[in-house]
């Protein structure tokens, strides 16, 4: 969070103090929200690992499960570091830290699909990942942050999809960017609100979607910090959400 400039005499005004506290609280809410998904995934992987050990699965299978837990835990650790930064008033939502490096985006999406497929088993929802327009999908991005975005989108899609339906993910190579689309059925959102869902204060109908969340607000912050864009489309109960990352 940017350091506040004190008023003459070294005393912060009430307005500065309120703004400072508001940004700090918002950032804490963002990080706390984003810790929930990986914590749930760690628990699911740990539960499966316990069952696989009892059933004497192959060493390769067990190692794969342990690797998932390690990777997700490392991601959680990085989020906690951001939380500590916020508590020291060094960073905030307005200056979301992004560490870009050349990343094979398909690998990021594939890994997330594998993890979130664990959440689909109870509702018989399938996640299908397709590519269009390329054999490599390299882009300069913060892979941890983009995995956060994609994880939030998959979590929403799983939560609101009807039983025995498909979630379709398409990674497309465009002229100046990579575009990702996540499509699911069962959307009860009116199309006129599709542009508002990224607002921090937007509330879905409680009967259909539960309480207000920060997920899409977080996604918008991250994508825009990469110089990209994110938007949603609703048509006849089909919900599509897109994001683009420039090369």
């Amino acid at each position: 969070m940017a350091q506040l400039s004190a008023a003459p005499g070294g005393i912060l005004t009430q307005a500065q103090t309120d703004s400072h506290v508001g940004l700090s609280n918002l950032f804490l809410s963002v990080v706390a929200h984003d810790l929930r998904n990986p914590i749930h995934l760690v628990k699911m992987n740990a539960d499966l690992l316990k069952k696989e050990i009892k059933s004497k699965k192959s060493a390769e299978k067990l190692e794969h499960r342990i690797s998932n837990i390690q990777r997700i835990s490392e991601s959680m650790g990085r989020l906690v570091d951001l939380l500590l930064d916020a508590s020291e008033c060094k960073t905030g939502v307005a200056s979301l830290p992004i560490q870009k490096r050349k990343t094979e985006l398909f690998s990021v999406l594939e890994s997330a699909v594998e993890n979130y497929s664990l959440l689909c088993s109870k509702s018989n929802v399938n996640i299908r990942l397709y590519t269009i327009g390329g054999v490599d999908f390299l882009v300069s991005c913060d892979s941890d942050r983009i995995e956060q975005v994609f994880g939030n989108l998959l979590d929403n899609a799983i939560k609101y999809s009807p039983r025995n339906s498909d979630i379709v993910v398409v990674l497309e190579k465009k002229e100046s960017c990579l575009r990702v689309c996540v499509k699911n059925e069962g959307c009860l959102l009116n199309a006129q609100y599709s542009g508002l869902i990224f607002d921090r204060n937007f509330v879905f109908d409680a009967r259909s979607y539960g309480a207000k969340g920060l997920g899409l607000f977080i996604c918008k912050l991250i994508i825009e910090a990469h110089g990209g864009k994110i938007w949603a489309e609703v048509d006849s109960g089909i919900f599509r959400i897109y994001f683009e990352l420039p090369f």
Side-chain angles (χ1 to χ4, degrees):
M1 188 176 297
Q3 294 290 340
L4 293 173
S5 299
I11 300 174
L12 295 176
T13 66
Q14 185 62 48
Q16 287 175 316
T17 301
D18 291 346
S19 174
H20 179 63
V21 171
L23 283 175
S24 294
N25 288 342
L26 174 56
F27 190 76
L28 294 177
S29 296
V30 167
V31 177
H33 174 281
D34 241 25
L35 279 172
R36 288 187 299 183
N37 282 347
I39 287 172
H40 188 41
L41 289 174
V42 165
K43 183 180 183 303
M44 291 192 70
N45 274 281
D47 289 343
L48 286 171
L49 178 60
K50 185 176 179 180
K51 293 177 182 177
E52 288 164 354
I53 290 173
K54 287 183 177 180
S55 60
K56 298 181 180 180
K57 292 287 185 179
S58 68
E60 182 180 354
K61 184 74 173 178
L62 299 180
E63 184 177 350
H64 176 70
R65 192 70 62 198
I66 292 170
S67 295
N68 278 347
I69 293 173
Q70 288 175 328
R71 184 178 59 79
I72 298 168
S73 298
E74 288 168 0
S75 177
M76 290 167 60
R78 285 185 285 269
L79 284 171
V80 171
D81 287 341
L82 293 176
L83 183 60
L84 293 174
D85 283 345
S87 70
E88 296 171 7
C89 305
K90 292 179 180 176
T91 186
V93 171
S95 57
L96 195 67
I98 298 294
Q99 297 179 353
K100 291 185 179 182
R101 57 187 178 276
K102 280 293 182 182
T103 301
E104 173 51 64
L105 190 58
F106 178 79
S107 297
V108 175
L109 303 188
E110 186 178 42
S111 177
V113 166
E114 179 181 356
N115 280 324
Y116 279 85
S117 291
L118 297 173
L119 302 178
C120 298
S121 56
K122 292 183 179 179
S123 55
N124 292 325
V125 173
N126 297 307
I127 305 176
R128 305 192 183 279
L129 175 59
Y130 302 96
T131 60
I132 299 176
V135 292
D136 65 80
F137 296 89
L138 287 173
V139 67
S140 180
C141 70
D142 186 323
S143 59
D144 293 322
R145 291 297 193 178
I146 297 306
E147 189 167 355
Q148 285 177 245
V149 170
F150 191 54
N152 270 315
L153 301 187
L154 285 181
D155 185 60
N156 283 341
I158 293 168
K159 192 181 300 179
Y160 307 133
S161 292
R163 292 180 62 85
N164 303 310
S165 64
D166 288 340
I167 296 168
V168 178
V169 179
V170 178
L171 171 59
E172 183 176 3
K173 194 170 190 176
K174 310 290 283 186
E175 184 175 343
S176 60
C177 68
L178 293 182
R179 176 184 292 178
V180 176
C181 174
V182 179
K183 181 186 80 170
N184 67 280
E185 302 173 23
C187 180
L188 300 178
L189 181 71
N190 192 303
Q192 72 185 78
Y193 297 118
S194 60
L196 302 177
I197 60 175
F198 302 99
D199 190 305
R200 178 168 63 98
N201 297 313
F202 183 76
V203 183
F204 288 112
D205 187 305
R207 291 168 299 177
S208 306
Y209 292 94
K212 177 177 67 177
L214 286 168
L216 293 179
F217 171 68
I218 295 170
C219 292
K220 184 173 185 288
L221 290 176
I222 294 173
I223 296 300
E224 291 185 348
H226 280 81
K229 61 180 180 178
I230 186 169
W231 72 98
E233 297 175 359
V234 180
D235 182 28
S236 302
I238 304 297
F239 183 74
R240 293 179 177 87
I241 191 160
Y242 300 84
F243 68 85
E244 292 181 345
L245 295 172
F247 292 131

